[in-house]
Amino acid sequence: MPKSILCVCLGNICRSPTAEAVFRQKLAIAGLPISVDSAGTSNAHAGEHPDARSQHHAKIRGYQLAKLTARQVIPADFLKFDLILAMDNDNLKNLKRMKSEIEQQFIAEDSDLGHSRLPKLAMLELLSHEDPNYCQKAVPDPYYGTADNFEAVLDQIESSVDAWIYSWKS
Ligand code: 4NP
């Protein structure tokens, strides 16, 4: 079981803040002591609160997103978090590239120092990794979509969060 999770999408205003809020609530109900945060691979919306449509649809299901603020993923996140969960394959690919660059940087510094001290970096997975209902499926980007798309994002995130929690409890 991880001690800390970072949920990641592109803008950190629709899918990943929703995943953060759903994880927080369901982990608290399950009694699992895991900290959760979210971030975006892009900085286009950094500093903004979640999209009003994400806030609205989440609130109907009892999740509060209003106080969250978007930020971009930074290299320190790979040291800080045990598990980074990407909402889709493009973001997973970008996270894998960032992790590999960080590893290469440590290896280069190690060879300068003449010893090895590669730290443990976050494991990377799709949010749907453990979810039999959405087997390895991406959470579709709802930004240019309809109310139904925002509801579908919530359906998928709730299902995949339940699947992770089930895997950690059993
Ligand atoms: P998110 O959604 O990655 O789930 O936060 C998006 C938000 C903004 C944009 C795309 C996706 N955008 O193109 O600005």
Side-chain angles (χ1 to χ4, degrees):
M1 186 174 90
K3 289 196 190 73
S4 54
I5 305 168
L6 181 69
C7 302
V8 173
C9 61
L10 178 64
N12 193 209
I13 55 167
C14 297
R15 292 165 292 176
S16 62
T18 302
E20 177 183 348
V22 172
F23 257 123
R24 283 239 175 90
Q25 184 159 312
K26 287 181 178 287
L27 286 167
I29 291 166
L32 296 180
I34 301 173
S35 64
V36 191
D37 194 6
S38 66
T41 52
S42 149
N43 69 356
H45 295 275
E48 294 177 17
H49 293 299
D51 186 285
R53 297 163 297 173
S54 292
Q55 289 195 41
H56 169 74
H57 289 280
K59 200 172 180 180
I60 294 169
R61 300 192 192 198
Y63 307 111
Q64 300 297 331
L65 270 56
K67 290 187 179 148
L68 301 178
T69 305
R71 70 170 180 90
Q72 189 171 27
V73 179
I74 55 171
D77 288 324
F78 291 80
L79 294 160
K80 179 175 176 185
F81 292 94
D82 292 333
L83 179 62
I84 301 182
L85 295 175
M87 299 299 120
D88 64 33
N89 286 296
D90 281 347
N91 287 301
L92 183 59
K93 202 168 102 187
N94 284 330
L95 290 165
K96 283 182 175 168
R97 186 180 38 74
M98 278 184 87
K99 182 174 172 178
S100 162
E101 284 168 5
I102 294 164
E103 280 167 349
Q104 291 311 312
Q105 210 170 322
F106 273 109
I107 289 164
E109 285 168 12
D110 286 351
S111 68
D112 286 347
L113 293 167
H115 60 77
S116 174
R117 47 167 202 115
L118 189 63
K120 191 173 156 286
L121 299 180
M123 226 174 88
L124 310 180
E125 298 287 2
L126 276 180
L127 179 73
S128 58
H129 182 69
E130 288 288 329
D131 189 351
N133 300 321
Y134 293 88
C135 197
Q136 295 292 335
K137 268 187 150 179
V139 182
D141 178 355
Y143 191 67
Y144 294 105
T146 63
D148 283 351
N149 298 122
F150 281 86
E151 286 295 320
V153 164
L154 275 157
D155 290 341
Q156 182 166 351
I157 287 174
E158 286 184 325
S159 173
S160 295
V161 168
D162 283 340
W164 278 109
I165 290 176
Y166 179 79
S167 79
W168 295 325
K169 289 205 93 161
S170 43

